[in-house]
């Protein structure tokens, strides 16, 4: 009996070729594992294809619920966005896939795990760092990094070995998708001056072809987790699927990002993330209402680290545990409802309410019912400005260069 390898199988060209290649080159028996994180495929066809190409076993694992509960929602509670743009769909899915692949490998007593990543991206790092953390004795094989074939050569190889070439090969793009978003790379997109052609997008309508009437949606959160859409209770997977549909129909969630990969390359990435865009926006709006100023400021620092950690493949670190504990703690009162308007590619917050709101009308109002004591501001300003006043006397007035220099300041004339 030959050794077994568990292959992360997508059904695409590279991983199909990998089944054959692993057998030929290493004499391994291949167990193909397809992990469903919401990537809209015909999974039974994918499974059958793995067997046809030569896998001894092919599994499909529905990981949508796990993905939402343990990856997407924590990232949402954190407001995790990489470099201010990327909502981290692919990055979040990799540690989950690694965990499930390791489980299968141990169960099947396989000696190795294989994945289809090239040597230029982040995903190889995320997979391998995670697998090594969970099962240091498993070998890792990355066929596409080893075989040195161009895309043309890979297609030739497939033809020679009767491996069916998926229709997606006709697509000029490299695509990854899951519940939290879709990423599109390669082809004309590699020129950062070129506007992405419409055919790069699948989940979002072009704003010039979206409905002429706006849609409104109300999202209910409990402790930072979205639980209702328009008052209707929904499980996380359905809620995200419905929002992807609705916001996508209104053209919301297109992102064009020049991104800094972990391996040092800048790459141009197009994303479609309708649900993620709307949920992150709504969540932040609710936090603005329920967290104090200092909490919001401190959380931003934590989130910066947390988003980088996710992007950089360090999910299974204790830093993750520590930051997550802080983030979770911030969500105690992030409960309430946010109303969003979707129109012509934009989503805007148009209403928010919370039983734990810190917004206080009798403090904020300029109308009657005002309970803010305006006379207290005099003393407040006196003390708040004390250090600036003191410093200005000694260091600012008469200074030719500082903040005053461009303004032609005339020194105050002293009388007498
Ligand atoms: N640039 C994104 C990331 O690093 C998306 C990667 C998409 N991966 C893929 N194999 N097509 O997370």
């Amino acid at each position: 009996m030959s050794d077994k390898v568990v292959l992360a199988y997508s059904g695409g060209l590279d991983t199909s070729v990998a089944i054959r290649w692993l057998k030929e080159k290493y004499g391994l028996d291949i167990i193909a594992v397809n992990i469903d994180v919401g990537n809209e495929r015909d999974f039974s066809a994918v499974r059958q294809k793995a067997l046809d190409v030569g896998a001894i076993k092919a599994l499909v694992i529905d990981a949508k619920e796990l993905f939402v509960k343990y990856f997407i929602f924590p990232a949402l509670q954190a407001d995790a966005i990489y470099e201010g743009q990327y909502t981290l769909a692919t990055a979040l899915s990799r540690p989950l896939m690694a965990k499930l692949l390791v489980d299968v490998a141990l169960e099947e007593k396989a000696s190795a795990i294989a994945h289809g990543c090239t040597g230029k991206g982040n995903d190889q790092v995320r997979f391998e760092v995670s697998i090594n953390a969970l099962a240091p004795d498993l070998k890792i094989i990355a066929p596409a990094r080893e075989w040195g074939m161009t895309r043309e050569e890979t297609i030739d190889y497939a033809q020679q070995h009767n491996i069916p070439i998926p229709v997606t090969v006709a697509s000029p793009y490299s695509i990854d998708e899951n519940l939290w978003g879709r990423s599109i790379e390669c082809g004309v997109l590699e020129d950062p001056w070129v506007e992405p052609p419409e055919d790069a997008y699948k989940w979002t309508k072009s704003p010039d072809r979206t409905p002429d009437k706006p849609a409104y949606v109300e999202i209910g959160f409990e402790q930072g987790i979205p639980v209702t859409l328009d008052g209707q209770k929904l499980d996380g997977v359905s809620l995200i699927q419905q929002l992807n549909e609705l916001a996508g129909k209104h053209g919301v969630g297109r992102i064009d990002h020049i991104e800094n990969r972990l391996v040092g390359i800048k790459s141009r990435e197009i994303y479609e993330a309708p649900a993620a865009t709307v949920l992150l926006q709504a969540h932040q709006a609710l936090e603005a209402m329920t967290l104090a100023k200092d909490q919001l400021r401190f959380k931003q620092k934590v989130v910066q680290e947390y988003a980088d950690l996710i992007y950089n493949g360090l999910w299974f670190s204790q830093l993750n545990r520590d930051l997550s504990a802080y983030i979770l703690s911030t969500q105690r009162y992030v409960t309430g409802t946010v109303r969003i308007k979707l129109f012509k590619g934009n989503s805007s917050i148009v209403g928010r309410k919370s039983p734990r709101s810190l917004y206080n009308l009798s403090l904020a109002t300029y109308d009657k019912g005002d309970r803010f004591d305006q006379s207290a501001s005099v003393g407040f300003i006196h003390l708040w400005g004390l250090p600036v006043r003191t410093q200005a006397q000694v260091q600012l007035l008469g200074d030719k260069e500082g903040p005053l220099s461009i303004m032609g300041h005339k020194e105050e004339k002293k009388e007498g």
Side-chain angles (χ1 to χ4, degrees):
M1 204 180 72
S2 43
D3 254 358
K4 293 189 241 178
V5 57
V6 171
L7 169 69
Y9 184 64
S10 71
L13 177 68
D14 283 347
T15 51
S16 298
V17 165
I19 292 180
R20 188 57 197 252
W21 185 89
L22 282 165
K23 209 162 158 172
E24 236 170 45
K25 168 110 198 243
Y26 289 104
L28 293 164
D29 279 344
I30 291 98
I31 299 169
V33 177
N34 192 272
I35 298 168
D36 175 8
V37 278
N39 15 13
E40 291 181 12
R41 287 207 186 97
D42 176 352
F43 289 100
S44 65
V46 170
R47 196 179 158 271
Q48 189 53 49
K49 181 168 170 193
L51 295 172
D52 293 346
V53 178
I56 58 157
K57 202 171 191 177
L59 308 170
V60 175
I61 302 175
D62 180 352
K64 293 196 286 293
E65 263 174 56
L66 289 176
F67 188 39
V68 170
K69 180 162 177 205
Y70 294 107
F71 294 85
I72 292 183
F73 281 170
L76 172 61
Q77 288 179 306
D79 307 309
I81 299 177
Y82 181 66
E83 294 183 337
Q85 303 229 58
Y86 170 37
T87 55
L88 293 165
T90 299
L92 283 164
S93 72
R94 296 320 190 206
L96 171 58
M97 291 177 168
K99 165 77 172 90
L100 297 171
L101 292 167
V102 166
D103 287 350
V104 174
L106 298 181
E107 166 104 19
E108 298 279 350
K109 300 196 170 35
S111 61
I113 291 180
H115 61 72
C117 308
T118 69
K120 293 183 73 173
N122 300 311
D123 289 331
Q124 53 170 346
V125 182
R126 296 169 183 146
F127 273 132
E128 294 184 29
V129 170
S130 300
I131 293 166
N132 285 328
L134 299 171
D137 293 337
L138 282 174
K139 285 197 288 287
I140 298 175
I141 310 173
R145 196 170 58 195
E146 269 183 47
W147 66 37
M149 290 190 278
T150 62
R151 194 156 175 83
E152 295 306 308
E153 288 161 355
T154 316
I155 292 171
D156 282 350
Y157 184 102
Q159 274 162 347
Q160 281 161 28
H161 294 83
N162 284 325
I163 298 168
I165 304 196
V167 280
T168 50
V169 165
S171 158
Y173 308 116
S174 159
I175 290 158
D176 185 59
E177 58 187 26
N178 65 48
L179 284 168
W180 207 226
R182 178 170 185 267
S183 74
I184 313 105
E185 298 163 72
C186 302
V188 289
L189 303 175
E190 286 178 356
D191 179 349
W193 181 248
V194 168
E195 180 176 355
E198 258 327 286
D199 70 356
Y201 298 106
K202 193 173 101 191
W203 292 7
T204 55
K205 274 252 157 57
S206 166
D208 57 21
R209 289 190 289 122
T210 55
D212 288 323
K213 266 178 56 185
Y216 289 85
V217 61
E218 289 185 10
I219 304 168
F221 288 87
E222 262 167 38
Q223 304 197 322
I225 305 273
V227 289
T228 61
L229 272 194
D230 290 329
Q232 192 200 350
K233 245 194 148 32
L234 287 174
D235 66 275
V237 174
S238 314
L239 188 142
I240 292 170
Q241 282 169 335
Q242 287 189 23
L243 261 183
N244 269 330
E245 185 89 11
L246 177 68
K249 202 174 101 184
H250 287 271
V252 169
R254 293 185 172 186
I255 297 158
D256 182 341
H257 183 193
I258 297 285
E259 177 174 304
N260 288 294
R261 284 194 192 160
L262 185 54
V263 293
I265 302 167
K266 276 191 195 295
S267 67
R268 200 271 187 104
E269 310 268 332
I270 303 300
Y271 298 107
E272 295 183 280
T277 300
V278 170
L279 286 171
L280 284 160
Q281 203 181 352
H283 181 257
Q284 284 171 27
L286 194 57
E287 285 187 327
M289 182 171 240
T290 52
L291 296 187
K293 177 177 169 178
D294 294 341
Q295 287 178 293
L296 286 167
R297 289 171 62 94
F298 193 78
K299 184 166 184 265
Q300 272 178 15
K301 300 186 202 193
V302 174
V303 170
Q304 169 100 52
E305 296 300 319
Y306 186 66
D308 282 1
L309 168 160
I310 293 169
Y311 188 85
N312 293 338
L314 304 177
W315 184 265
F316 292 107
S317 63
Q318 290 301 312
L319 180 61
N320 180 1
R321 182 167 175 189
D322 298 338
L323 299 183
S324 299
Y326 173 78
I327 291 160
L328 195 61
S329 169
T330 62
Q331 299 298 294
R332 287 189 301 280
Y333 303 120
V334 185
T335 291
T337 305
V338 179
R339 181 154 28 95
I340 300 220
K341 177 177 174 176
L342 306 167
F343 189 52
K344 298 283 170 209
N346 291 310
S347 60
S348 14
I349 308 289
V350 291
R352 62 289 256 173
K353 61 181 178 187
S354 166
R356 298 296 197 164
S357 174
L358 301 174
Y359 178 87
N360 185 327
L361 186 63
S362 60
L363 292 179
T365 186
Y366 286 94
D367 295 338
K368 69 173 183 316
D370 182 4
R371 293 187 41 221
F372 183 85
D373 176 4
Q374 299 200 26
S375 69
S377 290
V378 178
F380 169 73
I381 294 165
H382 186 74
L383 292 187
W384 176 251
L386 179 61
V388 178
R389 227 158 50 231
T390 308
Q391 189 171 38
Q393 290 303 314
V394 189
Q395 299 173 355
L396 177 72
L397 304 174
D399 178 8
K400 300 269 174 308
E401 282 165 27
L404 275 179
S405 62
I406 53 161
M407 294 155 76
H409 180 69
K410 302 246 167 22
E411 270 196 67
E412 199 179 333
K413 287 223 178 64
K414 296 251 160 63
E415 298 287 318

